[in-house]
Amino acid sequence: MNTTSGNLPWGGDGPEAGSLGLLESKNTIKLVIAAVTSMWLLNSYLYNHKDIRAPIVGYRNFWEPTFVLRLRYIQGAWAITTDGYKKFKDSMFTICRNDTNILMISNKYVQELRALPNAQLGATAGLVKNFLEDYTTTGIMLESDVHSRALKSRFPSNLETINGLMQEELDLAIKEELGHVNTQDWTPIVTYKLLSRIVARITARVQVGLPLCRNEELIHAFLEYTENIFMTIVVLRIFPSILHPVVAWLLPTSYGLHRNLRTGKRLIIPMVHERRRAQAEDPDYKKPSDMLQWIMDIADDDEGRPEKLAHRMMLLSFASLHMLAISMTQSLYDMCTYPEFIAPLREEMEESLDKDGNWGKSNLTKLWKLDSFMMESQRLSPPALISFNRIAKEPLTLSDGVHIPRGTHLAVAALPILMDPAVVPNPEDFDPMRAYRQRLEPGGGGRHQFTHTDKDHLQFGHGKYACPGRFFADNEIKIILSRLLLQYDFKFPEGKKRPVNFTLDENILPDMAAELMIRKRTDRKENDSVVF
């Protein structure tokens, strides 16, 4: 069943200029006034477009100052980026964000750029620049890719073990976080908050293992660290980069994220020392199977310093919590908007469980309908408007002669591509079985999957530096959503409908304060519950 654009998660013209609590405060007005003043003075000094022949998009008229355009991008990125894509999708255009200019390239260039080494075209540099590395403790990612190497080399062979750990921790998380939910009453839950807690607990189990994963201080540090990094980025981007050192010094969230990092190090570093001591002294010592141990096993002397290992664990929690909680929140909102799809999803889940009621590696791959639903939900509500962020480390000349100067920040308009009728038929229809039908076609099995990347599907990047954690994320999302759908009913509160997405710069966010109603399923026998 296809549904019309009138029910899209952003209503009609694009995501709303929605709000987080911070953006509604009086302090924000002061920040904006200060930003406007500083932009007026610094705009022409900081940004020079002479080196790149790509039109700036988004001006309302000839007389609009560029600093106003930059401010409008904060909550108008959807319209600005889409306008640029429609006009220049086969060439290039420039969007002006408060802290930088971004060269938006056509996805026709993705294939030739995807394999360029970091020394020429910095994939990690593009990611870390977006995270404002000097103020969010994310700069350590530029020192080494040991976490990526560990995921690529160890995750596939440990997949069954990791799935088991996730299911075990999910079982406990559900019991403790939803133990008050019964079969009689509909209970309100703040969806994003609940899912963040569940993801944080499972992430901790996979990253550092027992017993530390159940330390509430660590869970709290994971959650706060994620929130503080994101809010620090949001506020700093209101200002030109030259003012970031001063503004960061004044931000409570900046102090908060450093406090969270210290907490994480205080808790994780002793575990690193204990594991190394046990390995050296006990010939029968069995290494844990978790992310921390995988990195310890392959790290060189510098990468393996305990404080750096702990730092990476905190950053991995930030990456995992943010993306997974948002993705699942969007999926649950869409399931409640289109409840007619819940029954076939549940049927597929029931049929895919093994004889013990568990999810093995092969069982999860059978969830084609859920995979399709997740893919369609992310197509219309992705975490960001743009992707494939890169920094040119040296001058580049593309195959058609286009020159990209050293230092250029470039990206691709990921969401507008998937709203292009030339790429996706009827793109404004929410069609959750779209990919499922495509996979049934001859030769369609590999391409139309949640984790697939190509020049049109860029939310996980593409090529050599595509997100290595997407397969872990895929498994975790499916395990959590399946458990929730098989055990609980969900609906919107009376008189409510799907919460509208909103944008902060290129980031697309669900309403994080919105509630769903939850109740234990009454159409399942007591002895027919799923065993994890």
Side-chain angles (χ1 to χ4, degrees):
M1 175 180 177
N2 292 354
T3 53
T4 65
S5 59
N7 290 322
L8 288 177
W10 51 72
D13 298 325
E16 285 187 348
S19 62
L20 296 171
L22 175 68
L23 301 181
E24 295 174 330
S25 67
K26 293 180 180 179
N27 288 336
T28 302
I29 298 175
K30 297 177 182 177
L31 289 172
V32 171
I33 292 173
V36 169
T37 303
S38 61
M39 290 236 184
W40 181 271
L41 296 172
L42 298 170
N43 188 71
S44 61
Y45 170 75
L46 288 174
Y47 305 104
N48 189 323
H49 312 294
K50 293 180 180 179
D51 291 336
I52 302 175
R53 298 184 181 278
I56 298 174
V57 298
Y59 286 113
R60 286 175 169 166
N61 54 59
F62 177 78
W63 304 104
E64 182 176 38
T66 302
F67 81 90
V68 174
L69 173 61
R70 294 185 189 281
L71 287 174
R72 283 200 298 105
Y73 183 78
I74 297 173
Q75 296 186 323
W78 163 258
I80 292 171
T81 307
T82 301
D83 177 61
Y85 176 80
K86 288 179 178 178
K87 293 177 179 176
F88 306 107
K89 70 176 184 178
D90 293 322
S91 55
M92 299 181 178
F93 60 95
T94 301
I95 57 176
C96 296
R97 199 171 70 190
N98 277 335
D99 61 324
T100 191
N101 288 344
I102 304 176
L103 178 66
M104 304 300 298
I105 63 170
S106 168
N107 65 337
K108 70 182 182 182
Y109 296 115
V110 166
Q111 286 301 106
E112 63 179 291
L113 296 176
R114 62 191 289 262
L116 289 182
N118 258 323
Q120 287 182 273
L121 190 65
T124 306
L127 180 66
V128 171
K129 180 184 177 183
N130 261 349
F131 290 158
L132 303 180
E133 70 270 24
D134 292 335
Y135 311 101
T136 57
T137 72
T138 54
I140 191 175
M141 295 171 64
L142 294 173
E143 296 180 12
S144 163
D145 66 345
V146 65
H147 57 285
S148 294
R149 302 198 315 267
L151 275 171
K152 291 176 180 178
S153 63
R154 300 299 178 91
F155 181 71
S157 60
N158 287 278
L159 187 55
E160 290 286 356
T161 300
I162 294 301
N163 282 350
L165 296 179
M166 287 195 290
Q167 293 173 72
E168 182 180 311
E169 205 61 31
L170 175 61
D171 191 42
L172 180 63
I174 291 290
K175 180 179 179 180
E176 295 183 353
E177 303 292 340
L178 290 175
H180 61 293
V181 178
N182 58 53
T183 59
Q184 304 299 318
D185 305 308
W186 285 100
T187 304
I189 57 164
V190 180
T191 314
Y192 177 79
K193 182 178 180 181
L194 170 68
L195 292 172
S196 293
R197 287 277 309 171
I198 292 174
V199 171
R201 296 177 65 149
I202 294 175
T203 297
R205 179 66 182 271
V206 173
Q207 286 187 193
V208 300
L210 290 169
L212 184 56
C213 67
R214 293 177 184 170
N215 183 311
E216 186 59 34
E217 189 178 11
L218 181 67
I219 299 299
H220 184 74
F222 276 4
L223 290 165
E224 266 206 350
Y225 187 61
T226 299
E227 180 181 348
N228 284 329
I229 286 180
F230 183 75
M231 292 312 303
T232 298
I233 294 170
V234 167
V235 176
L236 287 181
R237 281 190 184 176
I238 297 175
F239 298 86
S241 55
I242 197 172
L243 295 179
H244 286 178
V246 176
V247 178
W249 186 72
L250 299 172
L251 282 180
T253 56
S254 180
Y255 289 100
L257 69 89
H258 285 90
R259 180 181 64 250
N260 304 141
L261 180 58
R262 289 193 299 271
T263 299
K265 288 182 177 181
R266 174 170 54 81
L267 295 171
I268 297 172
I269 287 174
M271 173 178 282
V272 175
H273 289 307
E274 174 58 26
R275 289 186 182 188
R276 286 177 172 164
R277 184 201 62 77
Q279 185 176 350
E281 298 177 2
D282 183 359
D284 298 322
Y285 175 69
K286 184 179 180 181
K287 293 180 181 180
S289 182
D290 55 39
M291 189 67 184
L292 175 60
Q293 189 64 51
W294 299 346
I295 294 179
M296 289 173 64
D297 288 345
I298 67 171
D300 61 27
D301 289 344
D302 183 62
E303 295 167 339
R305 289 165 54 189
E307 65 272 17
K308 289 194 173 184
L309 291 169
H311 193 159
R312 287 186 185 277
M313 290 301 101
M314 294 298 291
L315 282 177
L316 287 171
S317 74
F318 160 66
S320 177
L321 264 67
H322 183 66
M323 196 283 283
L324 269 66
I326 285 177
S327 180
M328 285 189 286
T329 298
Q330 300 284 23
S331 290
L332 276 180
Y333 287 167
D334 288 333
M335 289 174 185
C336 290
T337 304
Y338 308 102
E340 64 270 26
F341 291 102
I342 292 179
L345 289 175
R346 283 175 172 162
E347 182 181 1
E348 178 186 63
M349 293 167 186
E350 296 274 15
E351 292 174 351
S352 300
L353 288 166
D354 66 21
K355 60 182 177 61
D356 297 317
N358 292 316
W359 295 111
K361 176 181 177 180
S362 60
N363 304 85
L364 288 173
T365 62
K366 297 175 183 177
L367 297 175
W368 284 24
K369 292 178 181 178
L370 178 59
D371 190 274
S372 180
F373 197 104
M374 290 161 50
M375 192 171 177
E376 185 75 350
S377 184
Q378 181 165 272
R379 182 181 73 83
L380 292 170
S381 299
L385 287 161
I386 67 177
S387 187
F388 201 76
N389 285 276
R390 299 289 191 271
I391 304 294
K393 296 294 191 67
E394 59 185 46
L396 300 174
T397 301
L398 303 181
S399 57
D400 58 359
V402 171
H403 176 66
I404 298 178
R406 181 179 180 273
T408 300
H409 181 169
L410 58 89
V412 180
L415 177 55
I417 289 171
L418 294 178
M419 294 299 294
D420 186 340
V423 177
V424 178
N426 304 311
E428 293 190 349
D429 290 353
F430 181 82
D431 181 3
M433 294 300 111
R434 186 192 302 269
Y436 176 75
R437 294 192 304 272
Q438 291 170 326
R439 289 182 73 174
L440 294 175
E441 297 172 357
R447 184 169 183 265
H448 304 287
Q449 297 186 46
F450 184 72
T451 55
H452 176 74
T453 70
D454 58 30
K455 70 180 182 65
D456 295 328
H457 300 85
L458 295 165
Q459 288 301 336
F460 292 113
H462 185 47
K464 182 178 180 181
Y465 300 104
C467 174
R470 66 189 187 276
F471 302 104
F472 165 73
D474 177 59
N475 280 7
E476 185 168 351
I477 291 171
K478 286 174 179 172
I479 288 173
I480 295 173
L481 286 180
S482 296
R483 172 65 188 272
L484 290 175
L485 276 188
L486 287 175
Q487 295 295 96
Y488 299 95
D489 289 318
F490 294 88
K491 70 176 183 178
F492 292 122
E494 192 68 30
K496 299 289 186 179
K497 58 182 181 179
R498 193 197 196 285
V500 177
N501 294 337
F502 64 95
T503 60
L504 291 172
D505 289 334
E506 67 273 14
N507 300 296
I508 299 176
L509 302 169
D511 186 336
M512 297 179 178
E515 291 184 338
L516 289 178
M517 306 301 290
I518 183 174
R519 182 181 66 183
K520 272 192 174 180
R521 286 181 64 191
T522 57
D523 56 344
R524 290 181 63 85
K525 297 178 182 179
E526 193 65 31
N527 62 355
D528 191 31
S529 59
V530 181
V531 179
F532 279 78

